[in-house]
Amino acid sequence: MTSSHERRDNLIMREIKYAEALREALAEEMRRDERVFVFGEDVALGYAFTVCKGLIDEFGPERVFDTPICEQTIIGTAVGAAMMGMRPVPEIQFCDLLPMCMDQICNQAAKLRYMSGGQVSFPLVIRSPGGKWGSFAAQHSQTLDAWFMQVPGLKVAVPATPYDAKGLLKTAIRDNNPVLFIERKLLYQIPGPVPIEEYLIPFGEARIHTEGRDVTIVAIGRMLSEALEAFKLLEKDGINATVLDPRTLIPLDKNAILESVKLTHRLVIVEEGPKTGGVGAEISAIIAEEALDYLDSPIRRVAALDTPIPFNKMLEDHILPDRYKIVHAVKDLMST
Amino acid sequence: MIKKEKMTKQRFIHFYRKLSMVRQFEEKVDELFRQGKIAGTVHTSVGQEAVAVGAGEALEEKDLVVATHRGHGHCLMRGAGLKPMMAELLGKGTGLCKGKGGSMHIVDVRRGMLGAMGIVGAGLPISVGVGWAIKRQKTGQVCACFFGDNASNGGPFHEALNVSALWKLPIVFICENNLYGLSVSVNKTSAVQDIAVRATGYGIPGVIADGMDVFAVHDVVKKAVDRARGGAGPSLVECKTYRFLGHSRGDPSYGPYRTKEEWESWKKRDPLILLRKRGNLTPEEVGKIEQEVSAELSEAVLFAEQSPNPEIGDVLDDIFA
Amino acid sequence: MATEVAIPNLGYTMTKAKILKWIKSEGDPVQTGEVLLEIETDKVAYGIESPAGGILTVRLAKEGDELAVGAIVGIIANAEETLDVSKYTVITRPEPAISDSPCVTLQESAPSGSYLTKETVLVSPVAKKLAREKGLDLSLIKGSGRSGRIRLSDVELYLNRVSQAKPDRPEAINAISGRGLEIAEVIPMNTMRKAIARRLSQSFHDAPHFNLLAEIDMTEIKRLLSLHRKEAVAQTGTKISMNDVFIKAVAVTLSHHPRLNARQIEDRIEIIKSINVGLAVALDDGLIVPAIEKADQKRLWQIALERKDLVERAREGRLKLEEIERGTFTVSNLGMYDIVLFNSILNPPQSGILSIGKIMDRPIVSDNQVIIQPMVSMSLTVDHRIVDGAIGAQFLHDLKRGMENPYLLF
């Protein structure tokens, strides 16, 4: 898998939205390789979250098409087509619908290569948005990242910025393996700097946004922006945090987290999914196993409460993590 | 106008050899399992050979097959080697899947056997993808998707038939209705007893074939294959058949949920017996074929038994490409 | 009804004890009050008496085990009783002693029936690691974290302070055996030595030591002693020693200067009612300070009797913890070693200590003439947090005056 340097001094940056960055990635990869095609529900018009909007104009209905509501067959089609050498990029409209096609993702896409003894590979990317929208309630607001960390054979990417989204999606499409590419609904319309030049972001490489000696904050998805706000609030109180985004969960850049904890001696993990069995649980275990002697305080996880997400906006905000909860957790750590 | 193959003696012998190969392979597998040489479980297709053989013969070499968990016969029909197949069933490193797949996941992609599928119904959505790619790549291939009676009751069946009919994909859906989904009779699982009837729900042809008659199967499937290859889209073929052994090893041929009478009546229509009669094959001709097949099989078993286990270090291979 | 035998709390500074010797074996009949086993704290050896009569059914710990206060070491039951011993977990040796590796860290959810939670020290993993690398005694480090947890910054602060305190020997902390120097003998530190090390080090760091020096003319005292000696021996069989005189003199003077009979607890000064003057007694491998209670109210011969008994028992290791704990002021005399003058480290939590040198005939000026008098130099060391220089000076002044005019004291 090729990768270019993430940052060169002579890159020209412009501000584009997360959804736009994803669309650019899709278009560029579809231009580059005619085996790449995009399909799913409401994809032709890009009606749900606009990511695929306009692609049909350039690439035609053979490469950009709608399917009926049949999640198992959407992924099954991807599996079959991938077996035949195509490079499918199906979209599952809400990550809450991934449970509908778990068999095709976890039993077929992730395992058929292994079970066949390597006879065939599955270069497919399943795109699906997770996280809060705002009163979309329990079945349309979930963050299920952690579920898929435990499927050997499946890679999982969770981009948090337009820059990361584009670079990671391009890498995912070029990867010869099944990738679950979990986006965030509320990030789609948030702009960020993205180079005009082509670039790829390798999997398994975290991104450090701020460097501070007092605590390491690992933040995933939409929680990255909350963590960065928390960073500013903490700075005012003289607490300097390292904010680190792993960007991919499988493979996980655990070395970056370990090295950071060795410097700061404190770790907080922030995620939008429920706390029990979450990504934070996995990362905490890794640090406890491999860097116990560097910890000056217990590890803290800032995550959603273990409850279905309520419809009422105030209740929803209450159960989800935010910058203030991050600040509170950090300050609490500083005094233990 | 479909050209009918001349029913020459050679043709009968050709088909009989195929049937015998599947039959003896399955019986040997059953024996090896009883001897403890095959681990886990095996699902043999003794009695259902005519479907795999008849359909297999209707396909071209370039065509693709997606099968069920009872897929040894389909794999053989695609031309997979006996030795690597046997080795795979014994879990050896020389097996088709390096010992990592086993009976339920036997795959030979190069020969167009895209896989036996361990999950009931999983092959249906996957065949949609295969069909789509064929159409896109304009290779003129056809995908034959085998599934059981009970799989036709699950969601993926409906999704797959609907979408492939919608997109006119070059797929032949072949239902091997052996009247039972494990221990439950099709009476108790399907609202309609003729699975082929469901085709009307998707606007595609649904045809029933006598699954014990290898030529009947062949002819029906051939028609569907030609239709698919011609671009008219998928068809549903239902083969009424019967498995002579239990669902998997450990399950008796009759007793718990099948009556001896039923079993015996189907036994009379054993595909091999039917073919022998139809082709007027002499005992010598039969004997010769069966002996040749038996010898090949013994070689394969010996190869498999003598093959080494996979290396421990190989366990982490082939997760990712 | 089974009765548990536990390690008693013998004093507020006691945190743990070591089992020296079991007197009774499993299955032995015991009576209430009979000594079952001997333990050693950092100050004394102590015999644990049976709380009930019956059979010593099970011993849960063995000789050499170090246990915390409250740890159950045995069960007394009736002859007929069958005991479900499984519910008493046999205590295994806790973490090795302080100097080897720092203290046991607290388990967040202590196992049920855990005996180790009361006095364990909280320390974070990275702080523990650094302390271990530097050979630090964690009990000397104050924890600034929640529940007193020692954090990395606390260890770093401690290291800074220590290295600043000894600028000419920056490697003092790590001066284990030096590079390339052959070690003649390694003496492992026993409980008492470790305790001394820990306590004096803490005292030295926590209390700002302030020293005042006075020279006292002992002529009158000597005359007094020679007068009383014969009488005392006749009555009590004990000679009155110079130390007894010092003890009494100090005690009486203290009664007029209560500030030196005090100790600091957190943010308050507690002035103790009873004046219990302790005498530093040197042992083979350490130092112990038994105290005479209400020394200001006792006659000299009473003090002498008590002093003799305490010193004897101190040398035999038979002091009661209470006899040490009750001390409010210490007198230390190194005159027998020809030491002229020295400054002592305060005996925590006391606020004053008097260090006495050798009584020597020395030339002094009196009435414009040089005469020879028996003189003694004394150094009063006080905790400057509690006792200011002027107060210390007043005490020392009064003590000198009293000793030079004994009728004021006795």
Side-chain angles (χ1 to χ4, degrees), chain A residues 292-293 295-296 332 334-335, chain C residues 124-126 146 149 151-152:
Chain A
L292 183 68
D293 284 330
L295 288 172
D296 203 23
D332 185 60
M334 300 299 291
S335 72
Chain C
S124 81
V126 68
R146 192 167 302 149
R149 188 192 303 266
R151 298 157 348 133
L152 184 63

Side-chain angles (χ1 to χ4, degrees), chain A residues 27-336:
Chain A
E28 284 173 20
E29 291 306 301
M30 287 170 84
R31 273 174 222 136
R32 179 180 175 271
D33 187 337
E34 60 170 23
R35 296 171 299 173
V36 179
F37 66 102
V38 159
F39 63 111
E41 295 161 25
D42 305 295
V43 144
L45 289 179
Y47 224 65
F49 292 107
T50 78
V51 173
C52 296
K53 189 170 173 184
L55 290 175
I56 195 170
D57 300 331
E58 184 178 342
F59 301 101
E62 280 220 337
R63 295 177 71 191
V64 181
F65 56 93
D66 289 334
T67 64
I69 296 179
C70 53
E71 278 74 19
Q72 293 191 73
T73 298
I74 291 173
I75 306 301
T77 302
V79 170
M83 260 181 151
M84 300 291 285
M86 308 291 291
R87 302 189 81 91
V89 186
E91 179 187 290
I92 298 293
Q93 209 170 85
F94 288 83
C95 81
D96 314 67
L97 301 171
L98 291 173
M100 306 248 2
C101 41
M102 287 300 257
D103 177 62
Q104 289 293 333
I105 299 172
C106 304
N107 288 330
Q108 314 303 329
K111 296 185 169 71
L112 284 179
R113 174 180 170 75
Y114 187 84
M115 289 201 291
S116 73
Q119 288 181 51
V120 64
S121 61
F122 294 86
L124 57 95
V125 180
I126 302 167
R127 289 184 40 250
S128 191
K132 161 187 160 180
W133 173 262
S135 287
F136 261 7
Q139 295 172 340
H140 289 80
S141 314
Q142 292 172 88
T143 306
L144 303 180
D145 310 344
W147 292 24
F148 299 95
M149 283 182 86
Q150 216 186 16
V151 184
L154 184 68
K155 296 188 184 180
V156 181
V158 283
T161 68
Y163 175 86
D164 296 320
K166 183 173 178 187
L168 286 172
L169 185 54
K170 284 168 76 78
T171 300
I173 292 171
R174 294 189 199 189
D175 195 325
N176 288 327
N177 293 291
V179 176
L180 182 58
F181 197 87
I182 310 183
E183 301 158 3
R184 296 294 193 250
K185 303 179 194 74
L186 275 181
L187 291 180
Y188 280 135
Q189 298 306 312
I190 308 289
V194 176
I196 287 179
E197 293 83 351
E198 187 180 48
Y199 67 100
L200 294 172
I201 297 173
F203 278 20
E205 205 177 272
R207 184 170 162 199
I208 295 179
H209 287 260
T210 65
E211 301 212 37
R213 296 290 297 238
D214 294 322
V215 60
T216 300
I217 303 175
V218 172
I220 294 152
R222 187 172 67 83
M223 293 298 112
L224 173 67
S225 55
E226 290 300 309
L228 290 171
E229 288 302 314
F231 168 84
K232 290 180 197 155
L233 292 168
L234 288 167
E235 221 182 13
K236 291 200 185 112
D237 285 334
I239 299 172
N240 297 303
T242 292
V243 176
L244 185 155
D245 175 7
R247 301 197 288 192
T248 54
L249 299 178
I250 303 286
L252 179 71
D253 188 353
K254 77 172 185 188
N255 278 335
I257 303 172
L258 283 168
E259 289 306 311
S260 181
V261 171
K262 283 180 186 172
L263 286 175
T264 65
H265 309 296
R266 288 185 190 87
L267 178 63
V268 174
I269 304 147
V270 192
E271 62 186 301
E272 204 177 333
K275 191 187 213 188
T276 299
V279 178
E282 173 64 20
I283 295 177
S284 297
I286 294 173
I287 299 304
E289 280 176 349
E290 301 189 36
L292 183 68
D293 284 330
Y294 291 96
L295 288 172
D296 203 23
S297 325
I299 301 170
R300 286 289 298 265
R301 299 175 285 165
V302 180
L305 296 183
D306 290 329
T307 153
I309 297 169
F311 166 71
N312 172 284
K313 179 178 178 356
M314 182 202 72
L315 288 182
E316 182 180 39
D317 288 339
H318 173 73
I319 68 144
L320 292 175
D322 61 25
R323 62 200 65 175
Y324 304 109
K325 288 170 186 155
I326 298 171
V327 167
H328 179 82
V330 170
K331 285 192 170 166
D332 185 60
L333 266 195
M334 300 299 291
S335 72
T336 40

Side-chain angles (χ1 to χ4, degrees), chain C residues 217-260:
Chain C
D217 187 334
M218 294 295 275
T219 313
E220 293 305 314
I221 291 287
K222 284 188 103 166
R223 191 173 300 151
L224 180 104
L225 257 188
S226 65
L227 270 175
H228 283 219
R229 238 167 214 162
K230 281 193 197 127
E231 217 128 336
V233 173
Q235 275 206 6
T236 66
T238 312
K239 281 194 212 162
I240 295 177
S241 74
M242 199 52 83
N243 278 337
D244 300 325
V245 172
F246 287 136
I247 288 169
K248 173 84 185 191
V250 162
V252 171
T253 313
L254 277 174
S255 66
H256 302 299
H257 297 274
R259 198 59 173 240
L260 278 94

Side-chain angles (χ1 to χ4, degrees), chain C residues 340-393:
Chain C
V340 169
L341 184 62
F342 66 102
N343 294 325
S344 297
I345 312 281
L346 283 164
N347 189 9
Q350 296 169 14
S351 59
I353 181 167
L354 188 70
S355 313
I356 303 167
K358 184 178 167 130
I359 303 171
M360 294 188 301
D361 285 338
R362 278 201 266 122
I364 59 157
V365 176
S366 175
D367 283 337
N368 270 330
Q369 288 195 299
V370 176
I371 53 173
I372 311 257
Q373 296 286 79
M375 299 294 288
V376 73
S377 293
M378 290 187 182
S379 163
L380 172 71
T381 304
V382 295
D383 182 343
H384 210 311
R385 294 174 298 179
I386 306 168
V387 179
D388 296 330
I391 296 178

